[in-house]
């Protein structure tokens, strides 16, 4: 647990939501490494750290991300308080990086390969994941009352793209297994993730993982 690499958080994806997550974690003092496609697909390019793959560097709200060709370059960027972005769609850097936390923020609306065993704490954004099976926690990304809610059991609302009526009628949290619970805090994370969070509690990190 004294391995300094455990302080690294790996964020899969570098689009707008992923960049929001990375920004909050970076400002809280964590070292953040991001991964992207060789040709990232981004709509809001001005607020996406994935733009660094195209331009070599991207600055959002005074935080700079740089395209790192390998892990050695990524570690150099971290020493300069930058966010390295690796072209690594499969997230293979995880094996050598050994992050303490993995955040799947690809927003593919399905699981593209993230497993609950990828790190002591694995968090996924949006639909396509089940907390307790694919990851330790799922963060709601659908706009509305539950936006940003963390579920330690169950899943987020299914993909509502192309179904505005269905989206507007959603009034319940997606985690069916936690129906009736007044708050997601009633659920407990897996023991490994709980240990990681206790170890980090001495660090003044006030940011949430919800973008």
């Amino acid at each position: 647990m004294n391995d300094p690499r455990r302080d690294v958080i790996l964020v899969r994806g570098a689009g707008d939501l992923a960049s929001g997550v990375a920004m909050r974690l970076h400002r809280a003092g964590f070292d953040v490494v991001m991964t992207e496609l060789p040709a990232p697909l981004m709509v809001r390019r001005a607020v996406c750290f994935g733009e660094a793959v195209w331009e070599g560097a991207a600055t959002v709200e005074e935080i700079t991300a740089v395209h790192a060709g390998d892990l050695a370059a990524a570690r150099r960027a971290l020493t300069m308080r930058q966010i390295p972005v690796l072209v690594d769609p499969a997230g293979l850097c995880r094996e050598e990086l050994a992050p303490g936390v993995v955040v799947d923020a690809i927003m593919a609306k399905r699981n593209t390969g993230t497993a609950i065993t990828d790190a002591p704490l694995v968090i996924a954004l949006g639909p396509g994941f089940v907390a307790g099976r694919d990851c330790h926690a799922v963060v709601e990304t659908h706009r509305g009352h539950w936006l940003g809610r963390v579920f330690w059991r169950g899943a987020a609302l299914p993909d509502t793209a192309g179904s505005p009526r269905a989206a507007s009628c959603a009034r319940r949290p997606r985690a069916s297994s936690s129906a009736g619970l007044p708050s997601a805090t009633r659920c407990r994370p897996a023991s490994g993730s709980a240990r990681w969070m206790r170890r980090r509690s001495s660090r003044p990190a006030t940011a949430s993982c919800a973008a």
Side-chain angles (χ1 to χ4, degrees), residues 19-34:
S19 297
V21 170
M23 182 180 297
R24 293 292 299 274
L25 291 171
H26 178 87
R27 285 178 171 165
F30 293 96
D31 286 336
V32 180
V33 175
M34 308 183 79

Side-chain angles (χ1 to χ4, degrees), residues 78-102:
L78 291 176
T79 63
M80 294 185 287
R81 290 298 294 156
Q82 296 174 328
I83 297 177
V85 182
L86 292 161
V87 174
D88 184 8
L92 299 179
C93 66
R94 176 183 54 81
E95 297 181 7
E96 184 178 347
L97 193 63
V101 179
V102 169

Side-chain angles (χ1 to χ4, degrees), residues 62-186:
E62 301 181 352
I63 297 175
T64 298
V66 295
H67 180 201
D70 52 31
L71 277 177
R75 292 191 176 103
R76 287 194 297 271
L78 291 176
T79 63
M80 294 185 287
R81 290 298 294 156
Q82 296 174 328
I83 297 177
V85 182
L86 292 161
V87 174
D88 184 8
L92 299 179
C93 66
R94 176 183 54 81
E95 297 181 7
E96 184 178 347
L97 193 63
V101 179
V102 169
V103 180
D104 189 316
I106 296 174
M107 295 303 298
K109 309 300 177 67
R110 59 186 178 86
N111 189 343
T112 61
T114 293
I116 197 171
T117 55
D118 284 349
L121 179 61
V122 180
I123 302 169
L125 272 61
F129 302 90
V130 177
R133 184 190 71 188
D134 306 306
C135 55
H136 297 104
V138 173
V139 179
E140 179 61 77
T141 58
H142 180 69
R143 294 180 181 177
H145 180 70
W146 300 103
L147 178 64
R149 180 67 62 91
V150 178
F151 297 105
W152 295 100
R153 292 185 296 175
L157 281 167
D159 182 13
T160 54
S163 304
R165 180 177 178 82
S168 64
C169 293
R171 290 294 183 271
R172 294 188 302 170
R174 304 182 191 185
S176 58
S177 61
S178 59
L181 292 179
S183 171
T185 57
R186 291 283 298 276

